[in-house]
Amino acid sequence: LPSMQTSGTKPCPCPSFKLREVASMYFTMVAVFLVILVVALQGSVPRGSDFPYKVPLDPQGLLELSWNVSYPEQAVHFQLLVRDLQFGLLFGMSDRGEFENADLAVLWSDGHNSYFGDAWSDAEGQLHMDSQQDYQLLGARRAPEGLYLLFRRAFSTCDPKDYLIEDGTVHLIYGILENPVHSLQAINISGIHRGLQRVQLLKPNITVPELPSDMKTMEITAPNVVIPSQETTYWCYMAELPDGFPKHHIIMYEPVITAGNEALVHHMEVFQCAAKFDSFPHYNGPCDSKMKPDRLNYCRHVLAAWAMGAQAFYYPEEAGLAFGGLGSSRYLRLEIHYHNPLVFKGRHDSSGIRLYYTATLRRYDAGIMELGLVYTPVMAIPPGEDTFILTGYCTDKCTQLALPAAGIRIFASQLHTHLAGRKVVTVLIRDGREQQVVNADGHYSPHFQEIRMLKEMVAVFPGDELITTCTYNTEDRSRATVGGFGILEEMCVNYVHYYPQTQLELCKSAVDPGYLHRYFNLVNRFNDEEVCTCPQVSVPQQFSSIPWNTFNRDVLRSLYGFAPISVHCNKSSAIRFPGEWEKQPLPTITERLREPIPRCPPTPGPRPAAPVPINLGELRRE
Amino acid sequence: LPSMQTSGTKPCPCPSFKLREVASMYFTMVAVFLVILVVALQGSVPRGSDFPYKVPLDPQGLLELSWNVSYPEQAVHFQLLVRDLQFGLLFGMSDRGEFENADLAVLWSDGHNSYFGDAWSDAEGQLHMDSQQDYQLLGARRAPEGLYLLFRRAFSTCDPKDYLIEDGTVHLIYGILENPVHSLQAINISGIHRGLQRVQLLKPNITVPELPSDMKTMEITAPNVVIPSQETTYWCYMAELPDGFPKHHIIMYEPVITAGNEALVHHMEVFQCAAKFDSFPHYNGPCDSKMKPDRLNYCRHVLAAWAMGAQAFYYPEEAGLAFGGLGSSRYLRLEIHYHNPLVFKGRHDSSGIRLYYTATLRRYDAGIMELGLVYTPVMAIPPGEDTFILTGYCTDKCTQLALPAAGIRIFASQLHTHLAGRKVVTVLIRDGREQQVVNADGHYSPHFQEIRMLKEMVAVFPGDELITTCTYNTEDRSRATVGGFGILEEMCVNYVHYYPQTQLELCKSAVDPGYLHRYFNLVNRFNDEEVCTCPQVSVPQQFSSIPWNTFNRDVLRSLYGFAPISVHCNKSSAIRFPGEWEKQPLPTITERLREPIPRCPPTPGPRPAAPVPINLGELRRE
């Protein structure tokens, strides 16, 4: 049990404190009694072993965050290990990892006295004590490895200065105070050692399924890679299943991280190669190297994916992901994203993914289906947009044709866009009414693409519709961003993992090209502008010649919300189900899901509007 | 002082109460002590004479509401007189006077015990006790005229079930409980005697200016009208200033209401007639009568306007509204809106407006300027729109030309639309940045058009811009609504009252007709639809032939947000200031005003989540 070290009731002289803080000291005196009382009474303070999720915050691993999620309490308990405490630290959350308009817990010390408080930063990055204290300090404990801080935060506090913790990505930010701090206001947030880490804070509460006794493991790991001394590396390594390896079910996988490299291995994926090639060259090197054989581009079928902060991935007990056997390739590609911002040199790494598989096939093969937008330039985003939304439809006609009468169960989802993506949501519609969110990430980052287990499985039946909406930001771009495979082109995809497997591999859409042509004509005529709409000019070229005034932007938005679509209801990326899929009407939605109203659960104990003194002893000056 | 009659601490047996309510009784027991304590301690409980504003709620005057506004406390104190208490009543607020999704204070009795509580109604009109009690009962008092209930409500409670009290119109609703009520849930809101009353709850805190000793009064009253026995009557009465009446300043006016008709006289206006006619016929009759002489349509210059719930109107001490003298008409038209939903017969009325005026002219003549949209069909609203916004611009070019270097001061404002209007806002812009709201009504009703004093005067200088935005609802219409004078056409106007008077009588805009023509062409080409865009077809006809799909709606919206405007910067409705006013660019706004974040002041005393028992004695059954 962490011992509580919050200081007693003796008055603390704070000559260097600003008037406002001095005034609040009176209340602190009162509050201290109460805090002690709360912590003493709090039977529910979690023990150190009660934090199942862990992630290093900084590349050196000086700050290590563990946490757990209490859905009944609608709160997260944090345990922050500070390996080399100097004069305090900042920890918090913000929309996309920025230090402005952030919600922060701050531990600071003037060298003699230490304080903990809930603060916020304004649009200029200036810190302020929050009038409502929602990071609740539960304890602090010195250990040989460093200081452990324990605190609690409700998902939703209804304080407009606070971050609302939602499903999906949370951008955690940290800062290290290397000098004595005499007041919160005196912290210059731009001058400190700081950074961001993305995590899925609200992990779903999954019961681990029972594992079979004949389970075997296979490690797909890169053999002794020297991590390049550059910020970003995508490393590619080709592995191979044994000759004649029969069909198995992958039922679980987990990361294997070389000790000491926890902060460098950002994410990893294992892809299966295309069965149409008999063999693939061996390769072990950067994915963007000119030496990389082109054939590796045919290794794109995801078998496993892991990102920092993720734990082991378990398939539902009635399903497994088939690999091996006839009709599937023996070749696997491991891709590791090394994130090395401090440019460490000569680090060796043998990380990878450990697959757990069984020969006793489970009842269902799991499948992966692609929802969202077709990779085509007809879906484009004007430049300079703060928020532009593109939507891909999996229509009732397609699910009617392709799904079994008993439906499918979606149990996991991986969202995917390129660099302009900011949010991704997939919603299930039945009879024109929105039923439930399949997966949503309101703080999506293209730099953090995990396969996420859903909180609850989503059943999809023939005739249902799946609408995937991506929100983009192109404020830093001067030309239109069109759909496509390039990193500066865009995608809007949700890879949903489901069972039983069907023939439907992708269910996506794009605007009808004829209507897009009318749009180019309209822009020409309406604005007296010269946009060549001659047929020999490509769609990307036409988009790039549009003068982007508010009218042309608005009308493109309206076009995408109105024009009929071309539906790709495909067995594989090239083979459509039989039927008429061009000029299909957009699904009409008669009933939307209600926005959830944030609950503001009464937090146990008082929430003093003043920092809590905390006894850490005298802190050293470097 | 109203005596406090909240009941004591003896347990109350409530056999007919639902389990949920019974459970809450325990808390009530505790709460009752506290309520008594609060009321006893509450030095600030207002006395009966402390409610300066008064309005009858129902047409019979059974319920009479008085209130005051405390801006320091950000709260309203209500005193509700119930003349003929039966088994309780409902009082509350909702967006537009509906009984669904309403925020209610309920007094109810089972015949033996009475309770007061904060409740809300859901989308089906079912009542629920609110988990946060924000209508705070301050006292109840029996008097010969009826029961007085005193209660308090903060403007903003941050309870999502509660109505946010804002500037502008508030739709008050009431219901009378004529039978014993055994639980809140048992109230069938659709089956009770109920109604709505619109008021401006948040009256501005105006200091009454000193009045001159030579002040005279003149009553413009209708002589002994028999109020027609129909729901709605607009009554017109022509009055005349004495021959040779010299220029005076109106410095104040107030309503004169015939006793007993307080609930029938809905609003009144005094108009001055056009000077270009030497004389006007006398008339005393309904405004829509075929007998009404056409010339009365030339009496449109507002001298005074009053609506139910409004008090006396005072001009600022440095200004007065000129009337009399050379160049102005001697003829005045009084218009009274009688609202007689219970169709009383044979009621006599001699109501009107009392003008207070002085021959000692004040420093400045006050003026009235029209902001918003030109009355033209080019500004149209598609049918079936829940929310459609039209915007009128008074541009920098116009104010540069027409306003004095020292600027003008706007001190009052009257918002005006026809029947589809739902919100009106005028914002002042300087150097592209929104400076302040001139006047805003987010619950605007065309049935409640008052001249409202501004909370603070707004200074407008040459080069400033005034942007007036009107929000319309055309859900009940099947054809486009175009701009114009007809009651089923629309207007978007803010009559601002200001000084010193200038030559600028109207500063309004409309979309450039050439761009609207391009829109009709575009609709034709894009949708393969037959919209005749031939020049001989009128704009209303063209609008009425548009097939209103989402694209055509969206593009019209985009057009109005993009196309250049024709500016009417006029000395009178027909004479423009010299200059180029066609195809003017829309003002660009680089900085918006921030939405105010509602403050949730801690209310004094506890807020039990249960009804408060209240001792009213046994209530009679009819």
Side-chain angles (χ1 to χ4, degrees):
Chain A
L1 253 171
S3 63
M4 182 59 213
Q5 309 224 346
T6 301
S7 79
T9 57
K10 63 171 176 167
C12 68
C14 317
S16 61
F17 270 53
K18 294 209 173 144
L19 200 75
R20 192 165 150 193
E21 284 170 327
V22 173
S24 70
M25 283 300 138
Y26 168 77
F27 298 100
T28 309
M29 297 301 103
V30 179
V32 166
F33 278 114
L34 296 169
V35 170
I36 291 172
L37 195 69
V38 170
V39 176
L41 292 173
Q42 193 116 18
S44 69
V45 173
R47 279 165 301 135
S49 61
D50 283 346
F51 299 99
Y53 316 116
K54 188 157 86 172
V55 74
L57 289 184
D58 61 310
Q60 287 172 286
L62 296 175
L63 299 175
E64 191 178 272
L65 183 75
S66 315
W67 75 97
N68 70 36
V69 183
S70 167
Y71 286 99
E73 284 184 49
Q74 295 274 298
V76 180
H77 290 98
F78 294 102
Q79 176 184 266
L80 186 57
L81 167 59
V82 188
R83 287 195 195 277
D84 184 26
L85 181 64
Q86 298 180 50
F87 292 92
L89 61 100
L90 286 65
F91 166 82
M93 306 171 226
S94 67
D95 183 30
R96 304 202 62 81
E98 64 283 3
F99 280 76
E100 296 76 31
N101 302 314
D103 179 10
L104 294 158
V106 186
L107 173 72
W108 77 95
S109 166
D110 57 12
H112 305 284
N113 297 299
S114 302
Y115 301 90
F116 178 90
D118 181 349
W120 54 278
S121 66
D122 60 26
E124 279 71 48
Q126 175 62 52
L127 290 188
H128 305 272
M129 184 59 64
D130 200 341
S131 61
Q132 190 179 312
Q133 295 282 298
D134 290 295
Y135 285 105
Q136 297 173 278
L137 184 65
L138 301 178
R141 172 170 62 100
R142 286 255 185 219
E145 62 271 28
L147 174 78
Y148 284 97
L149 268 185
L150 268 76
F151 50 98
R152 176 189 187 280
R153 171 65 152 66
F155 299 168
S156 154
T157 65
C158 291
D159 175 352
K161 301 293 183 204
D162 284 354
Y163 181 88
L164 174 66
I165 302 177
E166 293 171 297
D167 290 339
T169 308
V170 176
H171 289 73
L172 301 177
I173 54 178
Y174 65 88
I176 294 172
L177 301 174
E178 294 168 316
N179 295 298
V181 168
H182 294 285
S183 83
L184 193 68
Q185 281 74 15
I187 297 175
N188 174 6
I189 208 166
S190 64
I192 61 171
H193 172 186
R194 66 186 199 175
L196 89 90
Q197 176 66 290
R198 297 181 186 91
V199 300
Q200 181 196 20
L201 266 190
L202 301 192
K203 301 280 185 191
N205 223 341
I206 303 288
T207 319
V208 172
E210 209 176 310
L211 296 173
S213 53
D214 68 345
M215 188 170 68
K216 294 181 188 162
T217 66
M218 177 190 295
E219 289 191 5
I220 314 291
T221 51
N224 205 24
V225 171
V226 179
I227 300 176
S229 53
Q230 60 193 31
E231 177 161 350
T232 300
T233 302
Y234 282 83
W235 194 267
C236 275
Y237 169 70
M238 292 297 291
E240 206 173 323
L241 295 178
D243 212 3
F245 186 77
K247 178 176 172 180
H248 285 81
H249 268 165
I250 299 173
I251 54 172
M252 166 193 169
Y253 59 83
E254 64 184 8
V256 183
I257 313 276
T258 301
N261 291 347
E262 290 81 358
L264 298 175
V265 178
H266 183 272
H267 73 250
M268 304 185 285
E269 288 188 85
V270 177
F271 299 94
Q272 190 160 38
C273 298
K276 66 176 173 183
F277 298 103
D278 284 339
S279 77
F280 281 81
H282 282 275
Y283 181 72
N284 187 24
C287 298
D288 61 354
S289 163
K290 286 177 184 165
M291 306 295 290
K292 191 191 76 166
D294 284 343
R295 190 165 283 187
L296 267 57
N297 295 336
Y298 291 90
C299 305
R300 291 185 169 274
H301 175 72
V302 175
L303 279 193
W306 171 91
M308 222 179 230
Q311 290 182 291
F313 184 91
Y314 292 88
Y315 280 85
E317 55 191 345
E318 57 276 42
L321 186 66
F323 80 137
L326 291 175
S328 82
S329 175
R330 285 173 50 222
Y331 294 89
L332 307 178
R333 179 167 66 91
L334 171 68
E335 184 176 304
I336 304 181
H337 174 198
Y338 293 112
H339 182 61
N340 184 8
L342 301 178
V343 198
F344 294 124
K345 288 199 172 81
R347 285 277 193 107
H348 287 251
D349 185 66
S350 301
S351 298
I353 286 180
R354 185 180 296 123
L355 303 174
Y356 292 74
Y357 60 99
T358 171
T360 317
L361 296 184
R362 289 181 166 182
R363 185 163 173 204
Y364 300 114
D365 280 355
I368 298 173
M369 188 191 303
E370 240 180 90
L371 304 175
L373 283 179
V374 180
Y375 311 131
T376 156
V378 299
M379 300 304 298
I381 306 143
E385 292 282 346
D386 167 42
T387 300
F388 197 90
I389 293 171
L390 294 181
T391 304
Y393 302 89
C394 176
T395 60
D396 51 353
K397 194 164 159 183
C398 180
T399 61
Q400 193 72 58
L401 206 64
L403 298 191
I408 56 168
R409 307 278 176 282
I410 302 177
F411 58 88
S413 152
Q414 184 183 20
L415 308 176
H416 179 70
T417 73
H418 288 169
L419 299 176
R422 295 293 179 273
K423 298 177 194 224
V424 185
V425 183
T426 297
V427 175
L428 172 72
I429 285 96
R430 187 167 297 150
D431 300 326
R433 287 189 288 275
E434 292 188 349
Q435 300 293 313
Q436 66 182 116
V437 170
V438 176
N439 193 9
D441 193 343
H443 304 273
Y444 173 85
S445 166
H447 306 295
F448 188 54
Q449 303 186 13
E450 299 178 290
I451 298 180
R452 290 184 182 147
M453 294 300 287
L454 303 187
K455 279 188 180 168
E456 45 180 337
M457 282 202 215
V458 176
V460 185
F461 295 100
D464 286 355
E465 292 161 325
L466 289 158
I467 301 188
T468 301
T469 302
C470 293
T471 306
Y472 300 94
N473 179 304
T474 56
E475 279 178 301
D476 59 347
R477 302 187 181 189
S478 55
R479 285 165 158 257
T481 299
V482 295
F485 288 92
I487 189 65
L488 289 173
E489 297 173 331
E490 269 305 334
M491 291 190 172
C492 176
V493 180
N494 183 355
Y495 297 98
V496 292
H497 296 241
Y498 71 97
Y499 68 87
Q501 192 171 27
T502 70
Q503 287 197 293
L504 186 63
E505 276 206 5
L506 63 91
C507 187
K508 313 204 292 187
S509 74
V511 72
D512 174 75
Y515 272 77
L516 184 67
H517 193 72
R518 288 187 198 186
Y519 168 77
F520 291 132
N521 277 327
L522 175 165
V523 167
N524 256 335
R525 292 213 180 90
F526 200 88
N527 301 274
D528 309 322
E529 305 280 357
E530 290 298 318
V531 182
C532 181
T533 54
C534 350
Q536 70 274 22
V537 172
S538 73
V539 167
Q541 280 175 304
Q542 288 183 323
F543 270 119
S544 73
S545 67
I546 288 180
W548 289 109
N549 58 42
T550 60
F551 185 74
N552 294 342
R553 290 167 192 274
D554 282 356
V555 176
L556 183 63
R557 240 181 264 262
S558 306
L559 176 87
Y560 287 146
F562 168 75
I565 49 176
S566 163
V567 174
H568 288 216
C569 179
N570 291 15
K571 295 185 187 182
S572 71
S573 60
I575 303 166
R576 284 186 171 182
F577 275 84
E580 178 51 50
W581 302 107
E582 297 306 323
K583 287 203 174 20
Q584 298 296 296
L586 289 184
T588 48
I589 298 175
T590 56
E591 196 180 299
R592 303 261 168 202
L593 285 173
R594 296 217 184 149
E595 285 283 317
I597 296 171
R599 270 177 52 196
C600 308
T603 47
R607 299 188 286 186
V612 179
I614 174 168
N615 186 357
L616 301 173
E618 299 261 323
L619 289 179
R620 67 180 173 79
R621 186 184 287 268
E622 291 259 300
Chain B
L1 253 170
S3 63
M4 183 60 213
Q5 309 223 344
T6 300
S7 79
T9 57
K10 61 169 179 171
C12 68
C14 316
S16 60
F17 271 52
K18 292 209 174 144
L19 200 76
R20 190 165 151 195
E21 283 170 329
V22 172
S24 70
M25 282 301 138
Y26 168 76
F27 298 99
T28 308
M29 296 301 103
V30 179
V32 166
F33 278 115
L34 297 168
V35 170
I36 292 172
L37 195 70
V38 171
V39 175
L41 293 173
Q42 193 116 16
S44 69
V45 174
R47 280 168 297 138
S49 61
D50 284 345
F51 299 99
Y53 316 115
K54 189 157 87 172
V55 75
L57 289 184
D58 62 309
Q60 286 171 285
L62 295 175
L63 299 174
E64 191 177 271
L65 183 75
S66 316
W67 76 97
N68 70 36
V69 182
S70 167
Y71 286 99
E73 287 184 48
Q74 295 274 296
V76 180
H77 290 97
F78 294 102
Q79 176 183 266
L80 186 57
L81 167 60
V82 188
R83 287 195 196 277
D84 183 25
L85 182 64
Q86 298 179 49
F87 292 92
L89 60 99
L90 287 67
F91 166 82
M93 307 173 226
S94 67
D95 183 28
R96 306 201 63 79
E98 65 283 3
F99 280 76
E100 296 76 31
N101 301 313
D103 179 11
L104 294 158
V106 186
L107 174 72
W108 78 96
S109 166
D110 56 13
H112 306 285
N113 297 299
S114 303
Y115 301 89
F116 178 92
D118 182 348
W120 55 278
S121 66
D122 61 25
E124 279 71 48
Q126 175 62 51
L127 290 188
H128 305 272
M129 185 59 63
D130 200 341
S131 60
Q132 190 179 312
Q133 295 282 297
D134 291 295
Y135 284 105
Q136 297 172 276
L137 184 64
L138 301 178
R141 172 170 61 101
R142 286 257 185 216
E145 62 273 28
L147 174 77
Y148 284 97
L149 268 185
L150 269 76
F151 50 98
R152 177 189 188 280
R153 172 63 153 64
F155 298 170
S156 155
T157 66
C158 292
D159 175 350
K161 300 293 184 204
D162 284 353
Y163 181 89
L164 173 65
I165 303 177
E166 293 172 297
D167 290 340
T169 307
V170 175
H171 289 73
L172 301 178
I173 55 178
Y174 65 88
I176 294 174
L177 301 174
E178 294 167 317
N179 294 299
V181 168
H182 294 284
S183 82
L184 193 68
Q185 281 73 14
I187 296 175
N188 175 7
I189 208 165
S190 64
I192 61 172
H193 173 188
R194 65 187 201 175
L196 88 90
Q197 177 66 291
R198 300 181 184 91
V199 301
Q200 181 196 19
L201 266 190
L202 302 192
K203 301 282 184 187
N205 222 341
I206 303 289
T207 320
V208 171
E210 210 176 310
L211 296 172
S213 53
D214 68 345
M215 188 170 70
K216 292 179 190 162
T217 67
M218 178 190 294
E219 289 189 4
I220 313 292
T221 52
N224 205 23
V225 171
V226 179
I227 300 177
S229 52
Q230 59 193 33
E231 176 160 352
T232 301
T233 303
Y234 282 83
W235 194 268
C236 276
Y237 169 70
M238 293 297 290
E240 206 174 321
L241 296 177
D243 212 3
F245 185 77
K247 178 176 174 180
H248 285 79
H249 268 164
I250 299 173
I251 54 173
M252 166 192 169
Y253 58 83
E254 63 184 10
V256 184
I257 313 275
T258 301
N261 292 345
E262 290 81 359
L264 297 174
V265 179
H266 183 273
H267 73 250
M268 304 185 285
E269 289 188 84
V270 176
F271 299 94
Q272 190 161 40
C273 298
K276 66 177 173 182
F277 297 103
D278 286 336
S279 77
F280 282 80
H282 283 273
Y283 181 72
N284 188 24
C287 298
D288 61 354
S289 162
K290 286 177 181 161
M291 305 295 290
K292 192 191 77 167
D294 285 344
R295 188 165 283 185
L296 267 58
N297 295 335
Y298 293 89
C299 305
R300 292 185 167 273
H301 176 71
V302 175
L303 279 193
W306 171 91
M308 223 180 230
Q311 290 182 292
F313 184 92
Y314 293 87
Y315 280 85
E317 55 191 346
E318 57 277 41
L321 186 67
F323 81 136
L326 292 174
S328 82
S329 174
R330 284 172 50 222
Y331 294 90
L332 307 178
R333 179 167 66 91
L334 171 68
E335 184 177 304
I336 304 180
H337 174 196
Y338 292 111
H339 182 62
N340 185 8
L342 301 179
V343 198
F344 295 124
K345 289 198 171 82
R347 285 276 194 110
H348 287 251
D349 185 67
S350 301
S351 298
I353 287 179
R354 185 181 296 123
L355 303 173
Y356 291 74
Y357 61 98
T358 171
T360 317
L361 297 183
R362 288 180 167 183
R363 186 164 170 201
Y364 299 115
D365 280 354
I368 298 172
M369 188 191 303
E370 242 181 88
L371 304 175
L373 284 179
V374 179
Y375 311 130
T376 156
V378 300
M379 300 304 298
I381 305 144
E385 293 281 346
D386 166 42
T387 300
F388 198 91
I389 293 171
L390 294 181
T391 304
Y393 302 89
C394 176
T395 60
D396 51 354
K397 195 163 158 185
C398 180
T399 60
Q400 194 72 56
L401 207 63
L403 298 192
I408 57 167
R409 306 280 175 283
I410 302 176
F411 58 88
S413 153
Q414 185 183 19
L415 308 176
H416 179 69
T417 73
H418 288 169
L419 298 177
R422 294 294 179 271
K423 297 176 193 223
V424 185
V425 183
T426 297
V427 175
L428 173 71
I429 286 96
R430 187 167 297 149
D431 301 326
R433 288 190 286 275
E434 291 188 350
Q435 301 293 312
Q436 65 182 114
V437 170
V438 176
N439 193 11
D441 193 341
H443 304 272
Y444 172 84
S445 166
H447 305 295
F448 189 55
Q449 303 186 13
E450 299 178 289
I451 299 181
R452 290 183 183 148
M453 294 300 287
L454 304 186
K455 278 187 179 167
E456 46 181 336
M457 281 202 217
V458 176
V460 184
F461 296 99
D464 287 355
E465 291 161 325
L466 289 157
I467 301 188
T468 301
T469 302
C470 293
T471 306
Y472 301 93
N473 179 304
T474 57
E475 279 178 300
D476 59 348
R477 301 187 182 190
S478 55
R479 286 167 155 257
T481 300
V482 296
F485 288 93
I487 190 67
L488 289 173
E489 296 173 330
E490 268 305 334
M491 292 191 170
C492 176
V493 180
N494 183 354
Y495 297 98
V496 292
H497 296 240
Y498 70 96
Y499 67 87
Q501 192 171 28
T502 70
Q503 286 197 293
L504 186 62
E505 276 204 6
L506 63 92
C507 187
K508 311 204 293 188
S509 74
V511 71
D512 174 75
Y515 272 76
L516 184 68
H517 194 71
R518 289 187 197 186
Y519 168 77
F520 291 132
N521 277 326
L522 175 164
V523 166
N524 256 334
R525 293 214 180 90
F526 201 87
N527 301 274
D528 309 321
E529 305 280 358
E530 290 298 320
V531 182
C532 181
T533 54
C534 351
Q536 71 274 20
V537 173
S538 73
V539 167
Q541 280 175 303
Q542 288 184 322
F543 270 119
S544 73
S545 67
I546 288 179
W548 288 108
N549 58 41
T550 61
F551 186 75
N552 294 343
R553 289 167 193 274
D554 281 358
V555 176
L556 183 63
R557 239 181 266 263
S558 306
L559 177 87
Y560 288 145
F562 169 74
I565 49 176
S566 163
V567 175
H568 288 215
C569 180
N570 292 15
K571 295 185 187 181
S572 69
S573 61
I575 303 165
R576 284 186 171 183
F577 275 85
E580 178 50 51
W581 301 107
E582 296 306 323
K583 286 202 173 17
Q584 298 295 296
L586 288 185
T588 48
I589 298 175
T590 56
E591 196 180 298
R592 302 262 168 200
L593 285 174
R594 295 216 185 150
E595 285 284 317
I597 295 172
R599 269 175 54 195
C600 308
T603 46
R607 299 188 288 185
V612 179
I614 173 170
N615 185 357
L616 300 173
E618 298 261 322
L619 289 179
R620 67 178 172 80
R621 187 183 285 269
E622 290 260 300

